[in-house]
Amino acid sequence: MFKVNLKKTWNNFTIKVDFEIPLGKVTALFGHSGAGKSSILRIISGLEIADEGMISDGKELWYDSTKQIHLPVQRRSIGFVFQDPSLFPHLTVEKNILYGVKGKRSLNEIKDLISLAGLSGYERFYPAQLSGGQKQRVTLIRALVRRPDLLLLDEPFSALDWEARRQLQEDLKRIIKQLNVTTLYVTHDITEVYKLADKVVVLESGRVLRHGTPEDIFMGKRLSTRIQIVGKVVGIESDSIMAAVTIMHEDQYFKALVDAEEIERLNLVVGDDVVIGAKSSDVIIFKVLTQF
Amino acid sequence: MNYTSKTSKISTSIISSNNSTRDSLKRFGDKRISDLLVESRNINVHKQRVREFIIEKLVFIGGLTAIVFIALIFIFLFKEGVRAFFLIKPMEFIGTHILDFDDNRVFACMWQPVGEPGKFSIVPLLIGSFLVALPATVISTILGVGCGIYLAEIASIRMREIIKPAIELLAGIPTVVIGFLCLTLLATFIQNVFHTTFRLNAFVGAIGVSLVIIPVVASITDDALRAVPSELREASYGLGATKWETIWKVVVPAGISGITASIILGMGRALGETMIVIMATGNAALVTGNIFSSVRTMTATIAAELGAVPHGSSQYYALFLIGSVLFLITFVLNLIAEIIINRMRKKLKL
C-alpha cells in the first residue's frame, strides 16, 4: 500500500492531500483541470518536491519532510507516461523501450511486452513514423519494462482521438491486469474512471473531496445488477412531466426518458458528466422488426 | 417545467429591450447617434486597413532588400571574377611551370601576383584558409558546444546570468583587438610552448578565430538544447537515468540538428574571418599541411592586396575570382548545413 500525504503551496494555490494507493490496483486521480492532479503526480514521481509530508511505498520512504528524506527520481521505482508522448525522437522503438533497462533482461520477455501492446513489427521504427496511439503504447511499454512498483499515468490518452483512445483504454486495462502493476491514473474523464479504475480519489482545488470505488463515488449507492452508460449530456428536452436527456458516450448517442423533476433536482445542464443507470429488472428489450 | 415556453419568454424580452433602446436614441442634427457611430467606425476600419497595407508593404520591402543585396553582390563578384579567365589561363589558377634553382622545369603552386610573369595559383590560399578554419572549428566545437551544454543543462540561473552576457561580450570584441593580442602575446606563448619555426602561424590564427566563433557556437547550441522539450528529460529521469546519461543520450542527440548548424555556421565564419588571420598567420602563401607554418588565407589576400592593385589588371580580377571562390565555398557550406538539418528534422520530426 502506497501512502501519500503531501502539502505544497505555490503563489496562490495549495495542495494538501492524504490518500492511499492499493497495491496491484488502478487508482484514478479524478478532478477538473486545475485541481492539482498533475502536480501531485509530479511530486510522487520526484520531479517536484513537496513542502511537507510523506510518501512511502509501504516498505521504503520516498519522501519525508521531517526526516529530510528525498529520494531522487532515478531511485524511485516508477514508470511515467505523460500526456504528450515523450519518446526519444532519435531512438527506434526498440531502443526507446530498452533505454531504462539496466543490465541483462531476457529478450523473450521484452518481445512478449512488445507483442502485448500490439507493437510487433514496429521495433525498428522511429517515433516520427508512428501514430499518436502507437507512440503512447511504446511509452507505456517503456515505463513497464523496468517493472516499476508504481505506474504513473498523466492523462495518457487526452491527445488522442476517441477511436485510438478506446482501443488504448482496452489495451491498458488488459496490460495492467496481466502484469498486476499498481497504477495511479490522472484523468478528468469520468468514462475512463469507470473503465479502468478500481478506486477513485476525487480532487477539487488541491484537496481530496472523496474517495472510494467509482460506483460509490459517482452513483451514491451500489447497484448489484445494472446497466450503466457513462457520458456527457449533450441535450435536454423537457416538458412539465418528462424529460429526454441525450448523452454521448464515446461516439454513441443515448437517449433516456426521465422524470422532469429529476432534471430540476440534479440541476442538470448540457455539458455535465452523468451516469445513466438502471436495475436489470427495469430494462425492457425490444427486438426491432425488420420484416413486416 | 416547459422548456419551449422558457425560450419564448426570453426571446420576447430581447425584442422588447431592443424597442426600448431604439426609442431612447437621441437625434444628433439630422443623423441618429447610432448612424454617427457606424460612420466613425467605418472611418476607423478604413484607417486601420491603410495602416496595415503600409506596414505589410514595408515589411515586404525589408525582406526583399536582403535578397536584392545578396543578388547584387553575387552578380558583381562573379562578373568581375569571370573576367580573370580572359587574362589568365585557367590552369594557372592551380599552378605554373617554373624553373627551380637547378634550372629544372617544375610545376609549382604559387601566389606571386606581382612577379613577372605573375603567378596566380589559389591552391596555397585555399590551403591557408582551411588550415586556419578547420582547427578553429575543432577548437570552437569542443569549447563552444561544451559551453552551450553547460549553459542549457547544468548552470544554475545565477551562473547563467553571469556567463551568458560574458559570452555575448566576447562576440562583441572587435576582431582587430583579438588579432592584436594574438600577434603580440599568443604568438610568443605558442612559440615558447611548441618551439615552432614560424612565430606567426596557422595555429595562432586558428586560436584567435575560434575566440570569435565560440560565442556563435555556444549560443546556438544553448538555444537548440533549450528547445528540447523538458518532457524528454523528465522521461529519462523517470527511467532511471542520471543527469549525465540524460544529457548525452537524450538532450544532445535530440538537439543535434541545432548543434550541427552551429558548427557549420561557425566554420563559415572562420573561413570569412579576415582581420585576425591577416595579423596572426604570417601571410606567407605556402603549400603546406603543417598547422605551425605560416599561411596566407583567401580573405587576408583580398584585404591586403585589393587596395593597392591597379584597377583592371590581372591581379585585380584574380582577387575577385578568389572572392567568388570564397563566396561559393561558404554558400555550399550553408547549403550542406541546411540539407543536413532538414534531413534530421524530417527523420526526428523535431
Side-chain angles (χ1 to χ4, degrees), chain B residues 43-59:
Chain B
I43 291 166
N44 276 341
V45 167
H46 186 68
K47 261 189 193 166
Q48 205 178 338
R49 277 202 192 135
V50 171
R51 205 167 55 201
E52 272 174 19
F53 178 80
I54 293 171
I55 291 169
E56 202 184 300
K57 290 300 167 224
L58 276 176
V59 172

Side-chain angles (χ1 to χ4, degrees), chain B residues 106-117:
Chain B
V106 287
F107 188 76
C109 303
M110 296 169 84
W111 175 262
Q112 284 175 4
V114 288
E116 197 53 53

Side-chain angles (χ1 to χ4, degrees), chain A residues 42 74 89-90 99 146 239-240, chain B residues 1 234 236 238 240-241 249 348:
Chain A
R42 292 175 64 82
Q74 293 90 344
H90 58 286
Y99 182 87
R146 299 176 65 227
D239 58 21
S240 51
Chain B
M1 176 59 66
E234 291 177 351
S236 174
K249 288 184 184 167
L348 308 180

Side-chain angles (χ1 to χ4, degrees), chain B residues 261-296:
Chain B
S262 77
I263 293 168
I264 296 178
L265 278 176
M267 187 164 171
R269 279 223 48 191
L271 280 169
E273 177 50 48
T274 310
M275 208 58 222
I276 297 170
V277 292
I278 214 170
M279 293 172 87
T281 58
N283 292 323
L286 305 174
V287 177
T288 174
N290 179 6
I291 60 164
F292 292 113
S293 125
S294 278
V295 291
R296 188 182 185 85

Side-chain angles (χ1 to χ4, degrees), chain B residues 211-249:
Chain B
L211 285 181
V212 180
I213 339 173
I214 285 169
V216 178
V217 177
S219 74
I220 299 178
T221 302
D222 179 38
D223 290 343
L225 296 185
R226 284 162 73 84
V228 173
S230 62
E231 281 93 354
L232 293 187
R233 296 183 185 89
E234 291 177 351
S236 174
Y237 294 145
L239 291 165
T242 61
K243 184 149 194 151
W244 278 110
E245 282 172 330
T246 304
I247 290 172
W248 288 120
K249 288 184 184 167

Side-chain angles (χ1 to χ4, degrees), chain B residues 62-99:
Chain B
L64 210 64
T65 4
I67 299 170
V68 168
F69 274 125
I70 289 174
L72 284 178
I73 291 169
F74 198 76
I75 292 165
F76 178 69
L77 208 57
F78 281 83
K79 183 176 73 74
E80 298 289 271
V82 161
R83 291 173 76 171
F85 287 107
F86 301 146
L87 299 168
I88 307 159
K89 278 184 232 143
M91 196 58 200
E92 283 185 49
F93 291 115
I94 295 167
T96 41
H97 289 283
I98 55 159
L99 297 176

Side-chain angles (χ1 to χ4, degrees), chain A residues 42 47 73-76 78-80 82 84-91 96 99-102 126 128-130 135 142-143 146 236-242 260 264, chain B residues 1-4 6 228-256 345-350:
Chain A
R42 292 175 64 82
L47 291 170
V73 195
Q74 293 90 344
R75 289 185 45 211
R76 300 185 186 195
I78 52 160
F80 209 126
F82 297 96
D84 298 309
S86 55
L87 293 178
F88 307 128
H90 58 286
L91 297 178
N96 257 292
Y99 182 87
V101 179
K102 296 262 158 72
Y126 282 93
Q129 297 167 286
L130 301 177
K135 278 185 211 168
R142 187 179 67 179
R146 299 176 65 227
I236 302 170
E237 300 157 65
S238 75
D239 58 21
S240 51
I241 304 159
M242 293 298 285
E264 285 281 288
Chain B
M1 176 59 66
N2 195 325
Y3 204 68
T4 40
K6 218 186 206 174
V228 173
S230 62
E231 281 93 354
L232 293 187
R233 296 183 185 89
E234 291 177 351
S236 174
Y237 294 145
L239 291 165
T242 61
K243 184 149 194 151
W244 278 110
E245 282 172 330
T246 304
I247 290 172
W248 288 120
K249 288 184 184 167
V250 174
V251 182
V252 170
I256 197 73
R345 287 225 175 107
K346 234 176 231 166
K347 193 174 150 200
L348 308 180
K349 263 198 195 156
L350 284 174

